[in-house]
């Protein structure tokens, strides 16, 4: 399998480096990934909104580099599908929210020098590049900022993939005008099934599919079940049955080529029926039981993500 999103680097940073990628109490570690027979795991650099965000962003990258060095015999950074195919287990660096750069040229240059393969412009707070998803229709309708358009153009030149998971609806449709960049939603579900603003409308799913991108299923309870403002994540349950419902809907709307995995492990709370990487097989088994052909399960597990990374 290939999982397009986790926040494990943030967990390691928050714990002051006391835990490592090799084996830890989180949802993602090398022991679990190897047990699952994973091909690749995307590791997001996500910078919390408080404190010196640029220093934190660099510290998270340092953790990623250190973990690759310490665990060189078990995992290594991959830059494309060919790298993944040639190794037992790969790590793909991604950026969740470029806000910490404040659109400063020297900071953007440094981030791009790290060779992330997937970048999202924004998280849940407005920044110099774009506006986020929101239950506020006025904020949700806002598009990209000048710096956002400029960064997308640069990403196209670097053959980087743009992640729209946290973007406003207005920003999404402006992104789709940029034909130079591949577009994915690494960790989002279907709004028609669960009416959360973080999820994608059917029109968005179709647009991503037509571009050749993918939608990675998010395991977060609030994006899978019924949702209302004020819902506490820790009180919700992430159920496999709900995952199957979302996947089947996304597949009906966008076809076999658009479905993928984007667990959001170590970035979500609640009660998780699939709580670790080595338990994702439960989802594959449930999908086959629900009638999804093995070839479609394989595309969800890894095939579609490999195509995007190629």
């Amino acid at each position: 399998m290939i999982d397009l999103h986790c926040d494990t680097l943030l967990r390691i940073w928050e714990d002051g480096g006391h835990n490592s990628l090799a084996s830890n109490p989180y949802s993602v570690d090398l022991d679990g990934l190897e047990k699952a027979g994973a091909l690749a795991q995307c590791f997001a650099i996500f910078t919390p909104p408080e404190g010196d965000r640029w220093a934190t962003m660099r510290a998270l990258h340092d953790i990623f580099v250190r973990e690759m060095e310490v665990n060189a015999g078990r995992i290594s950074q991959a830059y494309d599908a060919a790298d993944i195919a040639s190794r037992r287990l790969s790590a793909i660096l991604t950026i969740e929210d470029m806000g910490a750069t404040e659109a400063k040229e020297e900071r953007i240059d440094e981030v791009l020098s790290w060779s992330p393969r997937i970048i999202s412009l924004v998280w849940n707070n407005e920044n110099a590049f774009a506006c986020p998803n929101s239950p506020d229709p006025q904020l949700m309708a806002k598009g990209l900022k000048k710096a956002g358009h400029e960064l997308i153009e640069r990403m196209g030149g670097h053959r980087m993939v743009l992640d729209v998971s946290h973007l406003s609806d207005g920003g999404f449709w402006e992104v789709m005008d940029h034909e130079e960049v591949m577009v994915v939603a690494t960790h989002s579900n279907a709004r028609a099934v669960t009416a959360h603003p973080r999820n994608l409308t059917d029109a968005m799913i179709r647009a991503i599919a037509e571009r050749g991108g993918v939608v990675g299923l998010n395991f977060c309870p609030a994006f899978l079940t019924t949702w209302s403002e004020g819902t506490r994540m820790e009180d919700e349950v992430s159920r496999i049955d709900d995952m199957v419902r979302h996947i089947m809907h996304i597949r009906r709307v966008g076809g076999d080529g658009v479905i993928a995995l984007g667990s959001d492990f170590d970035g979500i709370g609640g009660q998780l029926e699939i709580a670790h990487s080595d338990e994702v097989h439960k989802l594959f088994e449930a999908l086959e039981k629900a009638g999804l052909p093995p070839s479609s399960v394989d595309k969800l597990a890894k095939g579609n993500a490999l195509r995007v990374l190629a």
Side-chain angles (χ1 to χ4, degrees):
M1 68 180 187
I2 297 174
D3 180 11
L4 293 174
H5 189 85
C6 78
D7 285 297
T8 311
L9 297 178
L10 180 65
R11 297 282 86 83
I12 294 172
W13 176 78
E14 288 176 334
D15 284 350
H18 296 301
N19 287 299
S20 75
L21 192 58
S23 183
N24 60 54
Y26 317 132
S27 291
V28 176
D29 61 16
L30 297 186
D31 291 345
L33 289 170
E34 289 172 347
K35 185 177 178 182
L39 278 180
Q41 175 68 55
C42 291
F43 290 94
I45 291 180
F46 167 67
T47 312
E50 61 279 345
D52 185 340
R53 299 191 70 218
W54 176 237
T56 301
M57 192 175 195
R58 299 178 85 190
L60 287 162
H61 178 250
D62 288 344
I63 288 171
F64 177 77
V65 172
R66 183 194 72 207
E67 292 293 338
M68 293 302 102
E69 292 174 348
V70 171
N71 298 291
R74 302 176 71 184
I75 192 169
S76 53
Q77 185 175 2
Y79 303 94
D80 57 27
D83 285 344
I84 294 170
S86 67
R87 300 169 184 168
R88 179 180 297 178
L89 178 59
S90 293
I92 301 161
L93 183 66
T94 72
I95 307 294
E96 184 177 28
D97 185 9
M98 286 289 284
T101 68
E102 299 176 347
K104 294 180 179 178
E105 199 69 23
E106 67 277 10
R107 292 184 179 182
I108 294 173
D109 288 345
E110 182 171 339
V111 172
L112 296 185
S113 76
W114 301 341
S115 297
R117 301 323 306 155
I118 305 173
I119 291 177
S120 66
L121 302 179
V122 68
W123 185 61
N124 289 337
N125 305 94
E126 183 175 352
N127 63 23
F129 300 96
C131 293
N133 73 95
S134 173
D136 177 351
Q138 288 187 317
L139 183 60
M140 190 63 137
K142 289 186 176 181
L144 304 177
K145 300 182 180 181
K146 182 173 181 287
H149 288 288
E150 292 172 347
L151 179 55
I152 292 171
E153 291 170 3
R154 289 195 65 183
M155 287 175 60
H158 286 267
R159 298 184 69 242
M160 292 176 178
V161 177
L162 180 68
D163 181 9
V164 296
S165 283
H166 282 273
L167 198 56
S168 65
D169 286 3
F172 176 94
W173 292 111
E174 289 190 9
V175 160
M176 299 311 292
D177 290 333
H178 283 271
E179 296 183 357
E180 70 272 20
V181 67
M182 171 66 78
V183 178
V184 302
T186 60
H187 55 305
S188 292
N189 298 338
R191 204 178 298 178
V193 180
T194 300
H196 195 296
R198 265 281 279 107
N199 287 339
L200 302 171
T201 66
D202 286 359
M204 292 173 176
I205 294 168
R206 279 190 289 269
I208 291 173
E210 289 168 1
R211 182 69 67 87
V214 295
V215 176
L217 181 83
N218 194 318
F219 294 4
C220 177
F223 308 154
L224 289 169
T225 60
T226 55
W227 174 84
S228 61
E229 273 194 87
T231 299
R232 298 198 326 156
M233 187 184 293
E234 60 268 26
D235 294 336
E236 296 298 306
V237 182
S238 171
R239 296 181 177 87
I240 296 172
D241 286 348
D242 291 321
M243 296 180 191
V244 172
R245 286 194 304 127
H246 277 269
I247 288 169
M248 293 303 198
H249 180 85
I250 292 168
R251 179 173 177 261
R252 280 195 299 271
V253 172
D256 255 2
V258 77
I259 50 176
L261 290 173
S263 67
D264 209 355
F265 276 147
D266 295 321
I268 56 176
Q271 302 171 52
L272 310 179
E273 286 189 348
I274 296 177
H276 302 90
S277 296
D278 60 8
E279 296 175 340
V280 178
H281 67 89
K282 297 176 184 177
L283 173 59
F284 303 150
E285 291 162 4
L287 287 166
E288 292 201 18
K289 189 175 292 186
L292 200 66
S295 60
S296 297
V297 175
D298 185 70
K299 288 179 180 179
L300 163 77
K302 64 179 184 296
N304 292 335
L306 274 173
R307 186 195 70 244
V308 167
L309 292 166

